Amino acid sequence: MKLKDILWRFNRLKSMNFFEVLYRFKTQLVVKRLNAKKVKDYIKKDSYEINYFLAIDELQLDEEYLQFLPKDFVLRLYGVNIEITEIDWNLDYVDNFTYPEQHVSKISLSDYSDREVKNILEMHRLHFMVDQSIRYYITKDSKLFEKIINSLESWIENNPFPYGMGWVSPTIVSKRLISFVFIWNILNLNKRPETKKLRKKLIATFNEHIHYVLKTLSQYSSANNHLTAELVGIFSILKSFSSSLTQVGSNTYLKIYEKIEALIIQQNFPDGKNKECGFGYQYQVTDWFFLAGLIDKKIGDSLFSDSYFSRLKNMFRFFRSSFDNYGNFFDYGDRDNFHVLPIQFESSQSAFIQFLESGAKFLNDPSLIITGIEKGLFDFRNRILFGNDYPVEKRCKNHIQTKYFEKGGHVVSWFQDNQGNDIYFNFRSGFFGYLSIAAHSHSDLNSFYLSINGQPVFIDPGTYCYRKDPDFRNYFRSALAHNTISIDKQNHAKAYGYNHWHNNKKIKGIISEFSNNKSQLYFKSTCRFPDGTQHIRHINIIKDYFKLSIIDDFISNKKEKMGIFSLHLHPKLKFRENKIFLSSERYIKVVSNQRLKAASGVNEPIKTGWYSPDFSEIEETETLHSEFTINNEVKTIFTIEENQ
């Protein structure tokens, strides 16, 4: 075993308490004993009909939708085309690596720490089969229907319980349940007599899925979005078959509902921010709870309480606060390109916009809609979910307001200055992340995002990857890669492993002296580095003629420490002679007591000047930075000037 692996295991063990160690040891023993003969029946074996949550006869899907679907029977995965009828379910087609077809107890993902296992796990979600099902719904192509059925049977036959990568993660197993539910709904299998044998096989594999997830639930330090996905996956399938459950299934159904009801309160602050502190996970987790609530409302009597839907509405509202009025977003923390609903989207941005429309419709909250985007967006998510009940009738005007999310630790302001500039400012403070490893957090305390007239100016550089390039992984989640300060190149927490931090509740930014009126916004935020150095960032915004002043000062016992001040520009913008041009008419004038230098695409001596617009994508961008001793105050002022 390599030294780095030994150190990782040591740090991982150190992050666990006694009960977690006991739970994981117990789970390993349970996994070793998993076999098909011990699977309980949660859904009756003679069940052949599901309770639909989609309005099958009212889906507004026509040939216009086909432009967003694969034109042939292929899975497009991270730039690779995979022929669906000939899938090798153990092969990572992106990296051309074959995983073992072994009992899950003999497969450890930590043995593949240098591989992007997400490649093969995403394939086992079967989300691409939903695309093909929608394509069949539109075209009524009988040959396509036959291919879909054969492919479903191929997965069942080639992935026996519990062998291979398809069963290695309870989260992926639950996500696959969601795909199965959508496929059954869209293909209207209830009314297809020729699919009776397939439906019997599906019921058997559903019971295996439920059994596996219940035995391996993500708890303790992994009880974040994984646990949410696992519970919602089980709830969705059990609710869909609620009229055909065994006694064990009925008891499980009620227990899972109670856990989800408690989890939405536990995992999310009252103001709606998800505790994982990542934009992408705010989106994912909110959509999981939305899906559970939607299915709950659509099938039978609703179980979830008013407090559940109240917290869900706040989660949507917090997610909306990450956007300016043009659809640009503050991409703080981790974000991969996973979507809860297994359907195609034009882009990640269009997925987020459609998601907000879902919230507006379902929760009757038009304020969630982004109104300043280009018209003509093809919203197939909500056509599928709501059929003839879509779109939303009432729509609100653009946001002009300031919000202080005290629990979540964000200050967000939308306003217009006297020159007609549309300003959006979002400041990140609050807790570092969730649970002991804060898996998807970045070292971004006291960072901010700024867009003007729909043009992102100072951005979050994104995520890029989880495993495949450790150097870039460490860079993109470091303090150096965010619009904040790093002291002696420290992060706000100590990192180990690609998704692990030494996190605790004391690692946070604290906002104080908050003051806001029509003409001015002021507050300060204080955070601490592992060596004890405190960073105090003062933010003052004059709204009438837009002036953003940032003053950074520090408290430390050692004055010789070095700080690095960083600002990350959107790739469309350049920094020249202390100016950032927004257009030929206007620019941002930058006045600083530091000498700001611009760099892009640099790898040595430290990485800087990189941007990831989406997962697995990377490009160069300009980073402004300066180095200073922390006995100096750092003062930077931004104003919008007319180009004379």
Side-chain angles (χ1 to χ4, degrees), residues 77-267:
L77 185 66
Y78 305 134
V80 176
N81 292 337
I82 305 170
E83 176 58 45
I84 294 176
T85 54
E86 301 175 358
I87 285 184
D88 179 346
W89 296 102
N90 298 304
L91 176 62
D92 175 351
Y93 284 86
V94 180
D95 290 340
N96 195 29
F97 178 81
T98 300
Y99 287 88
E101 188 178 356
Q102 296 177 313
H103 191 279
V104 288
S105 63
K106 297 180 179 179
I107 303 175
S108 174
L109 293 183
S110 62
D111 292 338
Y112 305 102
S113 58
D114 58 343
R115 295 196 172 276
E116 197 66 82
V117 295
K118 179 177 171 63
N119 297 338
I120 192 167
L121 296 183
E122 281 296 292
M123 186 172 72
H124 279 279
R125 278 182 55 215
L126 300 186
H127 58 291
F128 55 91
M129 297 303 299
V130 179
D131 295 339
Q132 299 298 335
S133 299
I134 295 171
R135 191 166 153 229
Y136 167 74
Y137 181 93
I138 298 169
T139 64
K140 300 297 186 289
D141 183 344
S142 59
K143 291 183 179 179
L144 176 58
F145 182 82
E146 185 177 342
K147 286 183 178 181
I148 295 170
I149 299 304
N150 290 339
S151 296
L152 290 172
E153 290 184 336
S154 169
W155 189 91
I156 294 171
E157 292 170 6
N158 290 287
N159 294 276
F161 177 81
Y163 291 84
M165 293 297 286
W167 295 99
V168 79
S169 163
T171 307
I172 293 298
V173 171
S174 277
K175 290 175 179 179
R176 188 164 55 246
L177 280 176
I178 300 300
S179 294
F180 279 135
V181 168
F182 271 82
I183 292 167
W184 194 312
N185 272 253
I186 294 167
L187 292 181
N188 199 4
L189 294 185
N190 284 4
K191 296 183 179 180
R192 304 294 299 240
E194 71 273 27
T195 65
K196 190 172 182 179
K197 289 184 178 179
L198 171 64
R199 282 180 275 161
K200 186 174 183 179
K201 292 179 182 178
L202 285 171
I203 295 300
T205 198
F206 292 166
N207 284 326
E208 291 170 345
H209 280 60
I210 297 167
H211 184 78
Y212 178 77
V213 175
L214 290 175
K215 294 293 184 181
T216 59
L217 277 175
S218 297
Q219 299 282 17
Y220 297 97
S221 61
S222 60
N224 45 26
N225 66 87
H226 289 218
L227 180 60
T228 308
E230 291 157 14
L231 294 178
V232 172
I234 296 176
F235 177 81
S236 298
I237 200 72
L238 292 178
K239 182 77 173 181
S240 295
F241 284 96
S242 53
S243 57
S244 304
L245 299 179
T246 64
Q247 187 60 52
V248 173
S250 295
N251 293 340
T252 302
Y253 166 58
L254 293 176
K255 288 180 181 178
I256 295 299
Y257 141 70
E258 291 173 353
K259 287 183 178 180
I260 295 174
E261 177 89 31
L263 201 63
I264 196 172
I265 304 300
Q266 178 183 334
Q267 288 193 347

Side-chain angles (χ1 to χ4, degrees), residues 8 105 123 128 181 185 189 294 401 416 514 560 568 630:
W8 180 86
S105 63
M123 186 172 72
F128 55 91
V181 168
N185 272 253
L189 294 185
L294 179 70
Q401 58 186 300
Q416 287 186 341
F514 176 83
E560 67 273 14
H568 300 266
I630 66 168

Side-chain angles (χ1 to χ4, degrees), residues 329-570:
F329 50 89
F330 182 17
D331 198 11
Y332 62 92
D334 271 350
R335 176 174 69 88
D336 53 41
N337 54 5
F338 169 74
H339 305 291
V340 171
L341 299 195
I343 56 178
Q344 285 284 342
F345 298 100
E346 294 176 79
S347 64
S348 293
Q349 184 190 52
S350 74
F352 304 148
I353 293 168
Q354 292 175 50
F355 165 70
L356 287 168
E357 295 262 351
S358 293
K361 173 66 181 177
F362 185 62
L363 299 169
N364 191 28
D365 187 356
S367 69
L368 296 173
I369 297 171
I370 299 174
T371 56
I373 59 175
E374 293 183 7
K375 295 181 179 179
L377 178 70
F378 191 82
D379 190 343
F380 35 83
R381 170 191 167 108
N382 292 303
R383 292 191 186 195
I384 290 172
L385 292 182
F386 299 110
N388 291 334
D389 288 338
Y390 186 77
V392 179
E393 296 294 333
K394 184 180 179 182
R395 306 180 80 83
C396 292
K397 295 181 180 179
N398 285 349
H399 284 42
I400 302 292
Q401 58 186 300
T402 296
K403 291 187 175 183
Y404 173 26
F405 296 93
E406 186 172 359
K407 294 293 184 181
H410 279 239
V411 175
V412 187
S413 187
W414 301 261
F415 63 93
Q416 287 186 341
D417 67 9
N418 292 340
Q419 294 178 298
N421 292 301
D422 195 353
I423 315 294
Y424 170 74
F425 178 82
N426 192 327
F427 186 89
R428 153 86 167 113
S429 187
F431 286 96
F432 180 81
Y434 189 44
L435 303 177
S436 62
I437 62 173
H440 294 292
S441 296
H442 288 186
S443 186
D444 56 0
L445 296 180
N446 284 358
S447 67
F448 67 96
Y449 176 97
L450 176 71
S451 75
I452 299 174
N453 299 327
Q455 170 59 60
V457 180
F458 299 121
I459 60 172
D460 185 291
T463 302
Y464 178 47
C465 67
Y466 290 157
R467 290 172 177 258
K468 69 181 180 181
D469 193 323
D471 288 341
F472 268 116
R473 174 59 173 161
N474 290 332
Y475 166 71
F476 274 104
R477 64 185 188 139
S478 70
L480 292 172
H482 294 87
N483 301 325
T484 186
I485 299 282
S486 176
I487 303 299
D488 282 353
K489 300 179 183 177
Q490 296 177 90
N491 295 314
H492 297 97
K494 293 182 179 180
Y496 69 98
Y498 73 98
N499 263 5
H500 304 81
W501 299 92
H502 287 290
N503 184 40
N504 62 62
K505 293 182 179 180
K506 294 181 180 180
I507 305 176
K508 60 183 177 180
I510 299 175
I511 293 176
S512 60
E513 300 180 22
F514 176 83
S515 174
N516 176 65
N517 55 48
K518 289 184 178 181
S519 60
Q520 188 172 6
L521 168 64
Y522 172 79
F523 61 92
K524 71 177 184 180
S525 177
T526 304
C527 65
R528 186 186 298 269
F529 286 90
D531 69 356
T533 303
Q534 293 185 58
H535 169 211
I536 304 98
R537 172 159 277 187
H538 305 258
I539 299 291
N540 189 54
I541 297 178
I542 306 299
K543 300 178 183 179
D544 294 339
Y545 53 91
F546 183 70
K547 179 180 179 181
L548 168 60
S549 299
I550 300 176
I551 298 176
D552 296 293
D553 54 46
F554 312 91
I555 299 175
S556 176
N557 294 329
K558 297 181 180 180
K559 299 297 184 180
E560 67 273 14
K561 289 183 179 295
M562 294 298 297
I564 298 179
F565 173 89
S566 301
L567 292 171
H568 300 266
L569 293 180
H570 188 273

